[in-house]
Amino acid sequence: MKKGTMIFALLIVLIAGAAWYMLSGAGDFIRAQIEQQGSKYLGTTVSVSSVELTLTEGRMSINSLQVKNPQGYSNNDAFSVDAITLDLGDVLNEPYVVQTINITAPAFLYEVDESGQGNLLELKNTLMANLPKTDNETAKEGVNPLVIVENVTVSNVRLKFDFEKLATGDLNIETKTYEVTLPTFNAGPIGQPNGMPADKVGIAVVNAMLDNVIAAAKTEAKKRLTEEAKKKVKEELDKQKDKLLDKANDKFKGLFN
Protein backbone atom coordinates (compact mmCIF):
# COMPACT_ATOMS: atom_id res chain seq x y z
CA MET A 1 0.00 0.00 0.00
CA LYS A 2 1.09 3.61 -0.60
CA LYS A 3 2.04 5.67 2.39
CA GLY A 4 -1.02 7.22 3.98
CA THR A 5 -3.46 4.70 2.54
CA MET A 6 -2.87 1.82 4.96
CA ILE A 7 -5.89 1.45 7.26
CA PHE A 8 -6.00 -0.84 10.24
CA ALA A 9 -9.37 -1.88 11.63
CA LEU A 10 -10.27 -4.29 14.35
CA LEU A 11 -12.69 -6.92 13.08
CA ILE A 12 -13.51 -8.74 16.28
CA VAL A 13 -16.74 -10.69 16.32
CA LEU A 14 -18.49 -10.84 19.69
CA ILE A 15 -20.23 -14.13 18.91
CA ALA A 16 -16.95 -15.75 17.85
CA GLY A 17 -16.52 -14.90 14.20
CA ALA A 18 -13.68 -13.27 12.26
CA ALA A 19 -10.88 -11.09 13.57
CA TRP A 20 -8.63 -8.35 12.29
CA TYR A 21 -8.12 -7.34 8.69
CA MET A 22 -6.40 -4.43 6.95
CA LEU A 23 -9.55 -3.43 5.10
CA SER A 24 -11.60 -0.27 4.87
CA GLY A 25 -14.98 -1.51 3.64
CA ALA A 26 -15.31 -4.58 5.83
CA GLY A 27 -18.65 -3.92 7.55
CA ASP A 28 -20.59 -6.40 5.43
CA PHE A 29 -17.89 -9.02 5.90
CA ILE A 30 -17.99 -8.66 9.68
CA ARG A 31 -21.78 -8.73 9.72
CA ALA A 32 -21.80 -11.96 7.70
CA GLN A 33 -19.22 -13.54 10.01
CA ILE A 34 -21.18 -12.63 13.13
CA GLU A 35 -24.29 -14.21 11.65
CA GLN A 36 -22.57 -17.34 10.34
CA GLN A 37 -20.25 -18.05 13.24
CA GLY A 38 -22.72 -16.89 15.87
CA SER A 39 -25.38 -19.23 14.52
CA LYS A 40 -22.85 -22.05 14.45
CA TYR A 41 -21.66 -21.63 18.03
CA LEU A 42 -25.04 -20.89 19.62
CA GLY A 43 -27.04 -23.39 17.59
CA THR A 44 -29.74 -20.86 16.67
CA THR A 45 -30.25 -17.98 14.25
CA VAL A 46 -28.10 -14.90 14.84
CA SER A 47 -28.74 -11.77 12.77
CA VAL A 48 -27.16 -8.32 12.58
CA SER A 49 -28.58 -5.29 10.79
CA SER A 50 -25.23 -3.64 10.01
CA VAL A 51 -21.66 -3.08 11.17
CA GLU A 52 -20.14 0.39 10.99
CA LEU A 53 -16.44 1.21 11.17
CA THR A 54 -15.47 4.75 12.13
CA LEU A 55 -11.77 4.46 11.48
CA THR A 56 -10.89 8.07 12.29
CA GLU A 57 -12.35 7.60 15.78
CA GLY A 58 -11.07 4.06 16.24
CA ARG A 59 -14.55 2.70 16.80
CA MET A 60 -16.74 -0.11 15.53
CA SER A 61 -20.51 -0.46 16.05
CA ILE A 62 -22.53 -3.65 15.69
CA ASN A 63 -26.13 -2.61 15.12
CA SER A 64 -29.32 -4.52 15.97
CA LEU A 65 -27.94 -7.88 17.05
CA GLN A 66 -30.61 -10.55 17.54
CA VAL A 67 -30.26 -14.11 18.82
CA LYS A 68 -33.31 -16.34 18.37
CA ASN A 69 -34.56 -18.77 21.00
CA PRO A 70 -33.30 -22.35 20.72
CA GLN A 71 -35.70 -24.99 19.46
CA GLY A 72 -38.44 -26.01 21.86
CA TYR A 73 -39.11 -22.47 23.07
CA SER A 74 -41.14 -19.54 21.74
CA ASN A 75 -40.35 -17.73 18.49
CA ASN A 76 -39.12 -14.69 20.42
CA ASP A 77 -35.52 -13.52 20.65
CA ALA A 78 -33.52 -14.95 23.53
CA PHE A 79 -31.25 -11.91 23.37
CA SER A 80 -31.14 -8.67 21.42
CA VAL A 81 -29.34 -5.34 21.63
CA ASP A 82 -29.63 -2.21 19.54
CA ALA A 83 -25.90 -1.44 19.40
CA ILE A 84 -22.56 -2.75 20.64
CA THR A 85 -19.60 -0.38 20.42
CA LEU A 86 -15.90 -1.24 20.47
CA ASP A 87 -13.32 1.46 21.22
CA LEU A 88 -10.01 0.38 19.76
CA GLY A 89 -6.57 0.74 21.34
CA ASP A 90 -3.34 -0.56 19.80
CA VAL A 91 -4.15 -1.95 16.35
CA LEU A 92 -0.60 -1.98 15.00
CA ASN A 93 0.93 -4.74 17.09
CA GLU A 94 -0.25 -8.17 18.12
CA PRO A 95 -1.82 -8.81 20.56
CA TYR A 96 -4.26 -6.15 19.34
CA VAL A 97 -6.07 -4.14 22.00
CA VAL A 98 -9.71 -3.24 22.44
CA GLN A 99 -9.95 -0.63 25.15
CA THR A 100 -13.65 -1.07 25.86
CA ILE A 101 -16.64 -3.01 24.62
CA ASN A 102 -19.87 -1.32 25.61
CA ILE A 103 -23.11 -3.29 25.48
CA THR A 104 -25.97 -0.99 26.43
CA ALA A 105 -29.53 -1.99 27.34
CA PRO A 106 -29.51 -5.54 25.99
CA ALA A 107 -32.84 -7.36 26.27
CA PHE A 108 -32.81 -10.95 27.54
CA LEU A 109 -35.73 -13.36 27.72
CA TYR A 110 -35.55 -15.99 30.45
CA GLU A 111 -38.11 -18.57 29.36
CA VAL A 112 -38.81 -21.81 31.19
CA ASP A 113 -40.47 -24.83 29.58
CA GLU A 114 -42.79 -27.43 31.14
CA SER A 115 -39.86 -29.42 32.56
CA GLY A 116 -38.25 -26.38 34.19
CA GLN A 117 -35.43 -26.03 31.64
CA GLY A 118 -34.37 -22.50 30.70
CA ASN A 119 -33.63 -21.16 27.23
CA LEU A 120 -30.56 -19.15 28.28
CA LEU A 121 -28.96 -22.13 29.99
CA GLU A 122 -29.54 -24.16 26.84
CA LEU A 123 -27.78 -21.47 24.79
CA LYS A 124 -24.85 -21.51 27.19
CA ASN A 125 -24.58 -25.30 27.10
CA THR A 126 -24.64 -25.27 23.30
CA LEU A 127 -21.94 -22.59 23.22
CA MET A 128 -19.71 -24.58 25.56
CA ALA A 129 -20.26 -27.78 23.58
CA ASN A 130 -19.25 -26.04 20.34
CA LEU A 131 -16.06 -24.47 21.69
CA PRO A 132 -12.99 -25.05 19.50
CA LYS A 133 -11.02 -27.86 21.10
CA THR A 134 -7.62 -26.33 20.21
CA ASP A 135 -6.19 -23.09 18.86
CA ASN A 136 -5.16 -25.01 15.73
CA GLU A 137 -8.80 -25.83 15.10
CA THR A 138 -9.78 -22.17 15.03
CA ALA A 139 -6.75 -21.24 12.93
CA LYS A 140 -7.97 -23.53 10.15
CA GLU A 141 -11.09 -21.42 9.76
CA GLY A 142 -9.28 -18.19 8.92
CA VAL A 143 -7.29 -15.30 10.33
CA ASN A 144 -7.49 -15.46 14.11
CA PRO A 145 -4.99 -13.10 15.75
CA LEU A 146 -4.47 -12.54 19.44
CA VAL A 147 -6.60 -9.87 21.08
CA ILE A 148 -6.76 -8.25 24.51
CA VAL A 149 -9.95 -6.59 25.75
CA GLU A 150 -9.25 -4.25 28.63
CA ASN A 151 -12.85 -3.83 29.75
CA VAL A 152 -16.32 -5.06 28.86
CA THR A 153 -19.26 -3.12 30.30
CA VAL A 154 -22.82 -4.40 30.12
CA SER A 155 -25.33 -1.84 31.37
CA ASN A 156 -29.09 -1.63 31.94
CA VAL A 157 -29.86 -5.25 31.12
CA ARG A 158 -33.60 -5.69 30.60
CA LEU A 159 -34.55 -9.17 31.75
CA LYS A 160 -38.00 -10.56 30.99
CA PHE A 161 -39.25 -13.68 32.77
CA ASP A 162 -41.73 -16.05 31.17
CA PHE A 163 -42.92 -18.95 33.36
CA GLU A 164 -46.24 -19.45 31.59
CA LYS A 165 -45.49 -23.08 30.69
CA LEU A 166 -44.21 -24.01 34.13
CA ALA A 167 -46.71 -25.60 36.49
CA THR A 168 -46.39 -24.11 40.00
CA GLY A 169 -48.78 -26.42 41.82
CA ASP A 170 -50.52 -25.10 44.91
CA LEU A 171 -48.76 -21.77 44.69
CA ASN A 172 -51.15 -20.81 41.89
CA ILE A 173 -49.01 -17.87 40.73
CA GLU A 174 -51.16 -15.45 38.76
CA THR A 175 -48.39 -13.40 37.14
CA LYS A 176 -45.85 -15.55 35.35
CA THR A 177 -44.47 -12.87 33.03
CA TYR A 178 -42.66 -9.83 34.36
CA GLU A 179 -39.56 -7.69 33.77
CA VAL A 180 -36.64 -6.40 35.85
CA THR A 181 -33.62 -4.22 35.10
CA LEU A 182 -30.26 -5.56 36.25
CA PRO A 183 -27.37 -3.41 37.49
CA THR A 184 -24.35 -2.70 35.32
CA PHE A 185 -21.63 -5.35 35.41
CA ASN A 186 -18.16 -5.77 33.93
CA ALA A 187 -17.02 -8.84 32.01
CA GLY A 188 -13.41 -7.86 31.41
CA PRO A 189 -10.48 -7.80 31.15
CA ILE A 190 -10.16 -10.67 28.69
CA GLY A 191 -7.02 -12.13 27.18
CA GLN A 192 -4.45 -10.48 29.41
CA PRO A 193 -1.47 -10.48 29.39
CA ASN A 194 -0.54 -12.26 26.15
CA GLY A 195 -3.79 -12.10 24.21
CA MET A 196 -6.49 -14.60 23.29
CA PRO A 197 -7.58 -15.81 19.82
CA ALA A 198 -10.21 -13.36 18.58
CA ASP A 199 -12.99 -15.92 18.29
CA LYS A 200 -12.43 -17.08 21.87
CA VAL A 201 -12.64 -13.46 23.01
CA GLY A 202 -16.09 -13.32 21.47
CA ILE A 203 -17.06 -16.55 23.22
CA ALA A 204 -15.75 -15.22 26.54
CA VAL A 205 -17.84 -12.03 26.24
CA VAL A 206 -21.04 -13.89 25.39
CA ASN A 207 -20.42 -16.54 28.04
CA ALA A 208 -19.83 -13.87 30.71
CA MET A 209 -23.11 -12.17 29.80
CA LEU A 210 -25.03 -15.44 29.90
CA ASP A 211 -23.49 -16.41 33.26
CA ASN A 212 -24.41 -13.07 34.80
CA VAL A 213 -27.95 -12.98 33.42
CA ILE A 214 -28.68 -16.64 34.24
CA ALA A 215 -27.49 -16.14 37.84
CA ALA A 216 -29.61 -12.99 38.18
CA ALA A 217 -32.60 -14.73 36.61
CA LYS A 218 -32.37 -17.63 39.06
CA THR A 219 -32.11 -15.22 41.99
CA GLU A 220 -35.11 -13.19 40.84
CA ALA A 221 -37.15 -16.33 40.13
CA LYS A 222 -36.38 -17.74 43.59
CA LYS A 223 -37.30 -14.40 45.13
CA ARG A 224 -40.62 -14.31 43.28
CA LEU A 225 -41.49 -17.92 44.17
CA THR A 226 -40.56 -17.30 47.81
CA GLU A 227 -42.80 -14.24 47.94
CA GLU A 228 -45.68 -16.19 46.41
CA ALA A 229 -45.11 -19.08 48.84
CA LYS A 230 -45.18 -16.70 51.82
CA LYS A 231 -48.37 -15.14 50.50
CA LYS A 232 -49.94 -18.57 50.11
CA VAL A 233 -48.93 -19.57 53.65
CA LYS A 234 -50.38 -16.34 55.04
CA GLU A 235 -53.63 -16.91 53.14
CA GLU A 236 -53.88 -20.45 54.53
CA LEU A 237 -53.10 -19.25 58.07
CA ASP A 238 -55.72 -16.53 57.77
CA LYS A 239 -58.26 -19.11 56.62
CA GLN A 240 -57.40 -21.40 59.52
CA LYS A 241 -57.55 -18.48 61.95
CA ASP A 242 -60.99 -17.49 60.67
CA LYS A 243 -62.20 -21.09 60.98
CA LEU A 244 -60.90 -21.31 64.56
CA LEU A 245 -62.56 -18.01 65.46
CA ASP A 246 -65.85 -19.18 63.98
CA LYS A 247 -65.65 -22.42 65.98
CA ALA A 248 -64.79 -20.51 69.14
CA ASN A 249 -67.71 -18.15 68.61
CA ASP A 250 -70.08 -21.06 68.09
CA LYS A 251 -68.82 -22.79 71.22
CA PHE A 252 -69.02 -19.83 73.53
CA LYS A 253 -71.91 -17.85 72.05
CA GLY A 254 -74.21 -19.17 74.75
CA LEU A 255 -72.01 -17.60 77.40
CA PHE A 256 -72.37 -14.14 75.96
CA ASN A 257 -76.05 -14.17 75.02
Side-chain angles (χ1 to χ4, degrees), residues 9-220:
L10 172 62
L11 308 184
I12 183 176
V13 174
L14 290 180
I15 307 295
W20 294 75
Y21 276 76
M22 289 181 286
L23 300 172
S24 57
D28 287 341
F29 171 77
I30 305 171
R31 179 188 57 76
Q33 287 297 304
I34 294 174
E35 293 180 340
Q36 293 169 14
Q37 299 299 329
S39 299
K40 170 187 171 183
Y41 279 97
L42 289 171
T44 188
T45 302
V46 175
S47 63
V48 173
S49 174
S50 64
V51 173
E52 298 176 359
L53 295 169
T54 309
L55 301 176
T56 56
E57 297 179 7
R59 177 170 294 181
M60 184 174 81
S61 297
I62 301 171
N63 302 312
S64 188
L65 171 68
Q66 296 176 305
V67 178
K68 286 294 184 183
N69 252 341
Q71 284 189 343
Y73 297 89
S74 71
N75 293 325
N76 298 317
D77 292 334
F79 161 58
S80 64
V81 62
D82 289 338
I84 301 170
T85 59
L86 293 82
D87 293 321
L88 313 183
D90 183 2
V91 296
L92 298 178
N93 302 291
E94 192 171 359
Y96 304 112
V97 175
V98 180
Q99 291 179 334
T100 59
I101 297 177
N102 290 304
I103 305 173
T104 305
F108 281 88
L109 170 64
Y110 185 69
E111 184 177 337
V112 179
D113 65 14
E114 298 91 338
S115 65
Q117 297 299 310
N119 61 332
L120 298 183
L121 184 58
E122 186 164 330
L123 282 179
K124 175 182 168 59
N125 291 340
T126 301
L127 179 64
M128 292 296 98
N130 289 331
L131 277 176
K133 301 301 184 292
T134 65
D135 290 345
N136 290 335
E137 182 179 332
T138 61
K140 291 178 182 178
E141 299 182 359
V143 178
N144 202 16
L146 298 177
V147 176
I148 292 173
V149 179
E150 294 180 342
N151 186 53
V152 181
T153 300
V154 185
S155 57
N156 298 319
V157 176
R158 294 169 293 158
L159 178 59
K160 180 179 180 180
F161 294 83
D162 185 347
F163 299 127
E164 291 294 344
K165 293 183 179 180
L166 183 65
T168 54
D170 293 338
L171 288 181
N172 193 26
I173 298 176
E174 296 180 359
T175 303
K176 292 186 177 182
T177 303
Y178 58 99
E179 296 184 16
V180 297
T181 299
L182 305 181
T184 296
F185 71 93
N186 295 317
I190 295 172
Q192 291 184 346
N194 299 318
M196 179 185 291
D199 63 341
K200 290 188 176 180
V201 169
I203 292 171
V205 172
V206 174
N207 189 49
M209 282 199 300
L210 287 174
D211 279 346
N212 186 275
V213 172
I214 289 170
K218 289 181 177 180
T219 299
E220 288 292 333

